[in-house]
Amino acid sequence: MGLTATAAAVVPPLGLATGARAATATGTEPVGAVGEGSAAAAESLVFDPSAYTELTTSITDTEGTAHTVTYHFYKVASYVAAPVDVVYQGLNVSVPVAVDGTAVDATHAPILFANSVGGYMPSSVASATGIGAGPGGGGPGGPGGPGGGGSTGPSRTLLALLAGYVVVEPGARGRTLVDSSGVYYGVAPAAIVDLKAAVRYVKANRGRIPGNVDRIVSSGTSAGGALSALLGASGDSPLYASLLRELGAADASDAVFASADWCPITDLEHADMAYEWCWGDNALADGSAVDATVSAELRAQFTDYLAQLRLTAPGFGRLTARNLDDHLVRTYLEPSAARYLAALSDTDRAAYLAANPFLGWDGKKATFTWADFLTHVGARKKDAPSFDAFDLSTPECNEFGSSTTAVRHFTEYSLRKQEGAGARLDADIPEKLHLMNPMFHLVDQVNSGRSRHWWIRLGTKDSDTSLTVAANLAARLENLGDDVDLQYYWDAGHAVDNDPGDFIQWIGRISAKRR
């Protein structure tokens, strides 16, 4: 990335947060308290605007032009007063001050809150020496990072800095963390509680952290995309209050203005059902088929779940298992193919159409059937069940582990297949599922503190989860009256970001709105 430090008189180096008194977010209702209320705890949550390192980096824009950006880089040791693990519960702030020698005033700029969680694993920014420089950071191809694994071109974090936005990069605990006594301290809901606490820290420091804390735009990819969606859906939900209080989170709102979610791995308790509905007819990469009985049973469950959601879409009315495929094709997949074809040269377009005769093309519109689309995608990535595996081998079984148990079943279907029809989930599982699923906060308990602006992206060949997950999320948000921009990238796989420049422009447009 060409990151170089320039001379700057700053104290202390790398900007560890210090101060005398915790700030409270103006204009928001407190929804939690700082730890035990001690003065020392309050002091630890004050951001010091003078404690930065000045850095200069070269950022190439989407047109291929290189720019020199000077920015102030702050490291906050912990965004909570009673951290469990400071390695993961810290955040970094990057504030642009000059682009190509012209001064930038980011005092009232939007704030991109870019988590780099992947696979519900722990994410740390503690070792980063500049924007996007930590593990899983914002460079293209970083696994699960803000840049989007498999993407090409500049990362959205760097483009945000170039646009004059403030960038906050939070760390968060994850499912694999275990202490010396064998306690797992990063399983659900640790990651979302940490990210909410980080948002609260930023908002509590209104006027100290540069940027407009009323224009925080959350972003993430894969599991990070799921957490970003959850941040957007669950803002200021009282369900998290006691967990935030235990950490000594700041006395401020944790609602975010907008949520940007790339291929969100979410709605996990229904993910096995959705996966079979979408990919159940496709073989695995080795050509073998999944268990037909399991696939059929899960598909039937998805039919019931979809009916319970009572989603509607323009031109389709109530979405059901009978018309959802047509909705996906007409609303998202054909427009995706059309954008792809229109962007090709005449020669490349002709070659692509010749290689893919299932595609109809009239020069403006692409047409095809759902069945032909599934054949085009080819092998599915995951076996059945895809998320709550019978043998507990999937990452999600670890995510829903307990403090003393590494892996657990989180769906009755998988549990009862293994332990019998009378088996019951552990008593804490239902609440954990609620705390981890944005759909709960949009359907079961419609949350008034949710984001009203949404950017959702994923690839048409992304079989890490079902294509219905993003579409159902978008349908519910639109039914609630929210502003939703959902697009699928044609022929793209998992964790791709093909239009980061458009995303940065979107932030600018929505930030000018009142809400």
Side-chain angles (χ1 to χ4, degrees):
M1 192 172 64
L3 195 65
T4 58
T6 60
V10 294
V11 180
L14 296 184
L16 295 180
T18 60
R21 190 168 179 272
T24 300
T26 303
T28 57
E29 287 296 322
V31 288
V34 176
E36 299 300 318
S38 69
E43 288 178 8
S44 71
L45 297 181
V46 176
F47 181 85
D48 184 352
S50 69
Y52 59 83
T53 299
E54 187 167 285
L55 302 173
T56 298
T57 186
S58 178
I59 300 176
T60 301
D61 63 23
T62 57
E63 301 300 319
T65 302
H67 302 270
T68 299
V69 178
T70 301
Y71 66 102
H72 292 169
F73 182 66
Y74 300 83
K75 294 191 72 67
V76 175
S78 183
Y79 45 71
V80 290
V84 177
D85 191 334
V86 294
V87 173
Y88 301 99
Q89 292 173 302
L91 61 80
N92 297 337
V93 181
S94 298
V95 182
V97 295
V99 175
D100 295 333
T102 300
V104 171
D105 181 3
T107 304
H108 304 293
I111 298 174
L112 178 61
F113 184 85
N115 85 70
S116 57
V117 174
Y120 290 102
M121 297 283 282
S123 172
S124 175
V125 297
S127 64
T129 56
I131 185 172
S151 304
T152 58
S155 76
R156 51 186 177 266
T157 48
L158 295 180
L159 289 176
L161 194 71
L162 178 61
Y165 304 162
V166 175
V167 177
V168 174
E169 297 172 288
R173 289 169 293 163
R175 60 184 173 82
T176 57
L177 294 175
V178 57
D179 66 19
S180 58
S181 62
V183 172
Y184 294 88
Y185 62 94
V187 294
I192 186 59
V193 174
D194 283 355
L195 293 180
K196 281 178 170 288
V199 172
R200 286 186 173 204
Y201 176 89
V202 173
K203 288 198 167 185
N205 281 284
R206 178 190 298 268
R208 299 179 66 87
I209 288 182
N212 184 349
V213 300
D214 294 324
R215 291 295 182 269
I216 296 175
V217 179
S218 170
S219 73
T221 299
S222 193
L227 291 166
S228 179
L230 186 53
L231 269 180
S234 67
D236 288 344
S237 168
L239 298 181
Y240 304 86
S242 63
L243 297 168
L244 289 161
R245 191 175 300 114
E246 289 174 7
L247 290 177
D251 186 359
S253 167
D254 54 64
V256 295
F257 178 70
S259 177
D261 321 316
W262 282 259
C263 51
I265 304 293
T266 192
D267 199 7
L268 294 174
E269 62 264 46
H270 306 106
D272 290 328
M273 312 171 192
Y275 197 96
E276 293 313 310
W277 182 91
C278 187
W279 306 117
D281 291 330
N282 290 32
L284 294 163
D286 63 2
S288 63
V290 301
D291 187 304
T293 299
V294 169
S295 183
E297 289 174 347
L298 288 169
R299 284 195 232 194
Q301 289 183 13
F302 181 74
T303 298
D304 295 338
Y305 172 57
L306 188 61
Q308 293 168 13
L309 290 177
R310 301 176 66 87
L311 303 174
T312 62
F316 295 89
R318 179 70 60 80
L319 294 178
T320 70
R322 294 186 297 276
N323 68 3
L324 186 60
D325 54 353
D326 198 41
H327 166 60
L328 286 168
V329 170
R330 308 296 171 231
T331 307
Y332 298 115
L333 301 180
E334 286 180 343
S336 172
R339 287 189 297 270
Y340 177 84
L341 290 168
L344 295 176
S345 68
D346 291 344
T347 300
D348 289 345
R349 186 183 309 111
Y352 187 86
L353 290 169
N356 296 279
F358 79 95
L359 271 170
W361 176 248
D362 65 2
K364 292 184 178 179
K365 184 179 180 181
T367 54
F368 48 87
T369 67
W370 174 250
D372 284 342
F373 168 74
L374 292 178
T375 301
H376 173 68
V377 171
R380 56 186 278 168
K381 184 174 182 178
K382 300 180 178 182
D383 204 345
S386 302
F387 295 88
D388 191 0
F390 293 149
D391 64 1
L392 296 168
S393 61
T394 46
E396 290 74 20
C397 291
N398 182 200
E399 172 66 2
F400 288 103
S402 70
S403 61
T404 56
T405 305
V407 292
R408 293 188 296 175
H409 286 300
F410 56 94
T411 66
E412 285 189 345
Y413 179 82
S414 290
L415 177 68
R416 291 176 175 178
K417 282 287 186 179
Q418 294 304 102
E419 299 184 13
R424 293 189 176 186
L425 296 170
D426 288 348
D428 64 315
I429 289 289
E431 181 184 8
K432 284 194 172 184
L433 291 169
H434 294 164
L435 293 173
M436 294 300 296
N437 191 349
M439 293 298 278
F440 175 80
H441 301 274
L442 301 172
V443 178
D444 297 79
Q445 294 184 5
V446 179
N447 182 37
S448 62
R450 72 182 184 277
S451 302
R452 296 300 200 273
H453 304 282
W454 299 78
W455 176 277
I456 307 172
R457 294 292 189 271
L458 71 159
T460 62
K461 286 190 173 182
D462 183 355
S463 63
D464 277 53
T465 191
S466 172
L467 298 185
T468 65
V469 171
N472 286 355
L473 174 62
R476 179 55 182 161
L477 292 166
E478 289 171 342
N479 291 168
L480 291 172
D482 293 354
D483 165 34
V484 183
D485 188 328
L486 167 59
Q487 288 187 19
Y488 291 68
Y489 303 129
W490 185 254
D491 275 358
H494 190 60
V496 169
D497 182 358
N498 284 345
D499 54 354
D502 292 342
F503 170 61
I504 299 304
Q505 292 178 15
W506 178 78
I507 293 177
R509 289 196 303 274
I510 65 170
S511 294
K513 298 181 179 180
R514 292 180 60 86
R515 177 56 181 158

